[in-house]
């Protein structure tokens, strides 16, 4: 059995206590164990802050970019091995696993390109200098400099590769050392990536540390120069962001949490047309990809009332071909959910939505035999479509995220009602509008934009060049207000804001210019 170790103070350390067991969610067989008891978190923090931080900050953006490129190459070089691990420990189909692993190397490469464009400087000038008198004798200039602490990254179980890489890429490029902690249950892929990165020598000592298991007193030790970036459930995020030391020290906290992402089908979209096809493809992909365990997956599907039955018929047609089972078996198109507790939560979630008035039109909470899996084993659930007939009588669909292959179709009668229904999600990561009608697009997009970090507006013209709303890109923001946690990640330079202090320099103009000289102006 593989033992996941923590990587702290430039060495691998096995936990000393009783480990957690990581299983294959298709067979329930153990694949690895992990534990962090005995890890000296104070020493880990000190090493990252005092050794990793200075080493990173002494490098230019272009040099940090080269580190990210080397990290991407180390991951890509072992792509097949990592895909296999993701299938074994995450229940991913090969295509789901590629989404995670290639997403990791792709995001690192995108940030390497960004770092290259920032060039041979170590901090950034933010905007133009401002004259503070009649001449340039007294002037001001904003600068962006790396925070002097450590960035602790706590990730969710669904993207063990991308989650680690997308956060690390941004922090390392900004010049902050990282301590990364994956969700324990699916941490095998993250651990292997860290092993590969250590072997590659891509990073200076202290730049990247890794916790296999619980974080002990690590987060209680963070202070005002540190960053905590968390992805996971809303209640865990709330508990972490409320820690007294984080509040007292004004440590920088970013939370990426739950989201009841919506798709809105415009009234102009005709059944059978190309836009209709894009809409069906997006809903189907989001429901099945990663077995619906994607924070950006479409959970609520709003359709014009007169199209409700047609949408349900066409979605049922597409989803009926889904074959649930062990991803290593032939013909399987959707794997299990990743853990036993996820399975329980998905079943409970379906029950909650149906008790509140939704009806099951496909699938449901009943146990499912996984194709190719041992009898009675595996965390399988059917692709499940629910429908609501009277949107005024349901609330659970707008409040409870079922983190699995489940979506609910809800009718609306006007653009205003569609906007009001989407807003009832309380703030989300991404929602999508499918329409050729420019007036409808403008009304709905601007109506829902304050409630989202990202809105996609789609029609047939994007066909062939469209990855769907569920794909998070390094160039665009990921995060959302309200229920989604209020965080912002990625978005090119924007995501680096979490790790950079914006400071206003003010005084004798030539001296201010001298201090800032050479900084890339952004
Ligand atoms: P979770 O149970 O909240 O766990 C998330 C992470 O927090 C894991 O690494 C977990 O570690 C850690 N954690 C739990 N308790 C902790 C504590 N007391 N101190 C420090 N760390 C702690 O969420 P999950 O089940 O992994 O993920 C599912 C949820 O994440 C869904 O609700 C989904 O919406 C959300 N999600 C959001 C995004 C986004 O970008 N917004 C992306 C993916 C998922 P252990 O595994 O060791 O307990």
């Amino acid at each position: 059995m593989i033992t996941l170790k923590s990587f702290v103070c430039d060495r691998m350390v096995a936990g000393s206590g009783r480990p957690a067991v990581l299983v294959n969610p298709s067979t329930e067989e153990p694949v690895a164990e992990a534990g962090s008891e005995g890890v000296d978190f104070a020493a880990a923090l000190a090493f990252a802050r005092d050794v990793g931080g200075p080493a990173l900050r002494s490098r230019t953006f272009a040099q940090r970019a080269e580190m990210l490129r080397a990290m991407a190459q180390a991951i890509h070089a072992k792509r097949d091995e990592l895909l296999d691990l993701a299938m074994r420990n995450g229940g991913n189909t090969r295509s789901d696993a590629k989404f995670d692993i290639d997403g990791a190397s792709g995001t690192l490469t995108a940030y390497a390109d960004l770092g290259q464009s920032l060039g041979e400087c170590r901090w950034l000038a933010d905007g133009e200098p401002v004259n503070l008198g009649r001449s340039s004798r007294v002037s001001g200039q904003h600068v962006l400099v790396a925070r002097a602490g450590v960035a602790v990254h706590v990730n969710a179980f669904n993207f063990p590769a991308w989650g680690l890489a997308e956060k690390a890429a941004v922090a390392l490029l900004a010049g902050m050392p990282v301590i990364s902690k994956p969700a324990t249950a699916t941490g095998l892929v993250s651990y292997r990536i860290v092993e590969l990165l250590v072997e590659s020598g891509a990073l200076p000592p202290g730049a990247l540390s890794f916790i296999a298991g619980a974080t002990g007193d690590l987060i209680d030790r963070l202070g005002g120069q540190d960053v905590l970036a968390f992805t996971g459930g809303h209640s865990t995020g709330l508990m972490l962001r409320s820690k007294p030391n984080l509040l007292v020290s004004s440590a920088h906290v970013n939370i990426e949490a739950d989201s009841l992402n919506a798709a809105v089908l415009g009234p102009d979209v005709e059944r059978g047309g190309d836009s209709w096809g894009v809409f069906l493809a997006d809903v189907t992909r989001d429901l099945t990809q990663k077995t619906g365990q994607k924070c950006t997956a479409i959970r609520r599907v709003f359709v014009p009332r007169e199209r409700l039955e047609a949408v349900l018929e066409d979605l049922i047609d597409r989803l009926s071909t889904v074959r649930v089972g062990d991803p290593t078996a032939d013909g399987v198109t959707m794997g299990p959910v990743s853990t036993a507790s996820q399975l329980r939560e998905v079943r409970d979630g379906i029950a909650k939505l149906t008790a509140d008035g939704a009806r099951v039109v496909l699938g449901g909470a009943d146990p499912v035999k996984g194709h190719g899996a041992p009898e009675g084993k595996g965390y399988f659930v059917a692709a499940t479509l629910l429908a609501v007939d009277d949107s005024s009588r349901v609330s659970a669909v707008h409040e409870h995220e079922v983190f699995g292959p489940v979506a609910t179709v809800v009718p609306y009668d006007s653009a205003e009602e569609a906007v009001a229904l989407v807003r009832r999600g309380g703030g989300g990561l991404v929602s999508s509008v499918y329409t050729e009608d420019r007036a409808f697009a403008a009304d709905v997009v601007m109506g829902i934009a304050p409630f989202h970090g990202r809105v996609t507006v789609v029609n047939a013209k994007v066909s062939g060049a469209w990855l769907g709303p569920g794909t998070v890109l390094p160039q665009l923001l990921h995060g959302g207000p309200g229920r989604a946690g209020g965080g912002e990640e990625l978005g090119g330079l924007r995501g680096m804001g979490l790790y950079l202090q914006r400071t206003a320099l003010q005084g004798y103009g030539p001296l201010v210019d001298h201090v800032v000289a050479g900084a890339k102006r952004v």
Side-chain angles (χ1 to χ4, degrees):
M1 176 124 73
I2 303 167
T3 299
L4 275 53
K5 302 184 191 75
S6 296
F7 182 65
V8 293
C9 304
D10 210 28
R11 61 195 174 85
M12 291 285 182
V13 184
S16 55
R18 189 150 163 246
V21 176
L22 286 61
V23 303
N24 178 332
S26 297
T27 63
E28 301 181 34
E29 284 164 357
V31 293
E33 57 181 25
S36 60
E37 217 176 300
V39 171
D40 184 343
F41 292 108
L45 277 170
F47 190 78
R49 284 186 189 126
D50 301 342
V51 179
L56 286 167
R57 292 192 293 276
S58 70
R59 286 163 159 79
T60 64
F61 286 106
Q63 289 169 328
R64 294 175 210 156
E66 284 319 303
M67 293 174 356
L68 301 187
R69 216 176 289 289
M71 291 169 75
Q73 282 160 0
I75 293 171
H76 190 70
K78 295 287 178 181
R79 180 174 187 256
D80 283 336
E81 180 193 341
L82 292 168
L83 295 179
D84 285 347
L85 291 181
M87 291 170 78
R88 271 174 56 206
N89 183 211
N92 294 183
T93 62
R94 199 172 160 80
S95 146
D96 291 344
K98 284 183 196 164
F99 193 52
D100 187 25
I101 310 294
D102 294 344
S105 45
T107 304
L108 284 160
T109 303
Y111 271 89
D113 292 344
L114 174 63
Q116 206 64 50
S117 74
L118 297 176
E120 299 296 341
C121 59
R122 293 182 288 135
W123 49 80
L124 303 170
D126 174 16
E128 296 298 322
V130 189
N131 286 345
L132 298 172
R134 286 206 200 110
S135 72
S136 59
R137 194 146 55 99
V138 180
S139 72
Q141 168 73 61
H142 291 95
V143 292
L144 295 164
V145 291
R147 302 191 194 284
V150 65
V152 172
H153 293 164
V154 178
N155 283 312
F157 73 86
N158 53 344
F159 283 98
W162 177 81
L164 184 155
E166 59 99 17
K167 284 188 174 64
V170 185
L172 293 169
L173 182 59
M176 281 197 82
V178 168
I179 299 183
S180 188
K181 179 237 174 312
T184 305
T186 57
L188 182 53
V189 169
S190 326
Y191 172 65
R192 184 63 188 132
I193 286 177
V194 170
E195 274 191 329
L196 293 171
L197 296 178
V198 172
E199 283 163 20
S200 74
L203 293 164
L208 178 66
S209 311
F210 177 77
I211 307 298
T215 50
D217 61 359
L218 177 77
I219 293 167
D220 300 309
R221 292 176 172 277
L222 298 184
Q225 282 294 311
D226 300 319
V227 172
L228 173 66
F230 166 83
T231 297
H234 186 79
S235 55
T236 318
L238 181 62
M239 181 273 295
L240 290 177
R241 77 175 354 151
S242 310
K243 285 197 174 256
N245 62 306
L246 301 179
L247 294 173
V248 168
S249 68
S250 306
H252 304 273
V253 178
N254 194 73
I255 304 284
E256 302 284 350
D258 311 355
S259 183
L260 289 151
N261 313 298
V264 180
L265 180 70
D268 59 295
V269 178
E270 295 291 343
R271 186 178 193 178
D274 290 344
S275 295
W276 181 272
V278 174
F279 160 77
L280 292 180
D282 282 358
V283 175
T284 309
R285 183 193 311 104
D286 269 10
L287 200 141
T288 53
Q289 189 174 44
K290 290 229 138 217
T291 317
Q293 300 166 112
K294 240 171 33 184
C295 51
T296 49
I298 296 166
R299 307 288 176 201
R300 301 176 296 154
V301 185
F302 296 107
V303 302
R305 182 172 303 282
E306 64 279 10
R307 303 260 196 266
L308 178 64
E309 289 312 318
V311 165
L312 290 176
E313 272 174 29
D314 287 2
L315 284 175
I316 290 169
D317 260 5
R318 291 192 176 217
L319 291 167
S320 300
T321 63
V322 172
R323 190 164 208 197
V324 183
D326 183 335
T328 59
D330 279 348
V332 166
T333 55
M334 188 171 89
V337 292
S338 294
T339 63
S341 66
Q342 269 307 117
L343 179 62
R344 269 194 305 279
E345 282 183 26
V346 170
R347 287 190 176 147
D348 289 353
I350 295 171
K352 199 171 211 159
L353 298 193
T354 52
D356 186 53
R359 60 186 161 99
V360 176
V361 292
L362 185 74
D366 292 340
V368 174
K369 159 90 178 85
H371 176 72
E375 197 58 44
K377 296 288 184 191
Y379 311 136
F380 299 104
V381 61
T384 296
L385 197 61
L386 307 177
V388 162
D389 296 310
D390 182 353
S391 58
S392 67
R393 298 180 61 173
V394 295
S395 54
V397 66
H398 306 297
E399 290 160 7
H400 187 75
E401 180 198 48
V402 184
F403 205 61
V406 183
T408 307
V409 186
V410 181
Y412 70 84
D413 290 307
S414 65
E416 294 72 34
E417 191 190 7
V419 168
L421 288 167
V422 173
R423 287 179 167 210
R424 286 183 66 186
L429 298 172
V430 56
S431 284
S432 322
V433 184
Y434 298 81
T435 186
E436 308 270 354
D437 178 335
R438 291 181 177 210
F440 181 84
D443 286 350
V444 177
V445 167
M446 286 308 159
I448 65 177
F451 287 70
H452 291 85
R454 189 159 56 93
V455 175
T456 73
V457 53
V458 194
N459 58 37
K461 308 281 189 315
V462 302
S463 189
W466 179 238
L467 297 167
T471 300
V472 174
L473 295 169
Q475 299 88 338
L476 295 177
L477 280 180
H478 174 57
R483 186 191 304 277
E488 279 191 356
E489 287 183 341
L490 301 173
L493 208 54
R494 294 168 189 84
M496 286 165 67
L498 180 63
Y499 306 100
L500 296 169
Q501 175 64 38
R502 179 181 283 109
T503 306
L505 303 185
Q506 179 183 2
Y508 179 49
L511 204 50
V512 170
D513 288 350
H514 174 76
V515 172
V516 180
K520 172 86 175 176
R521 199 170 300 283
V522 292

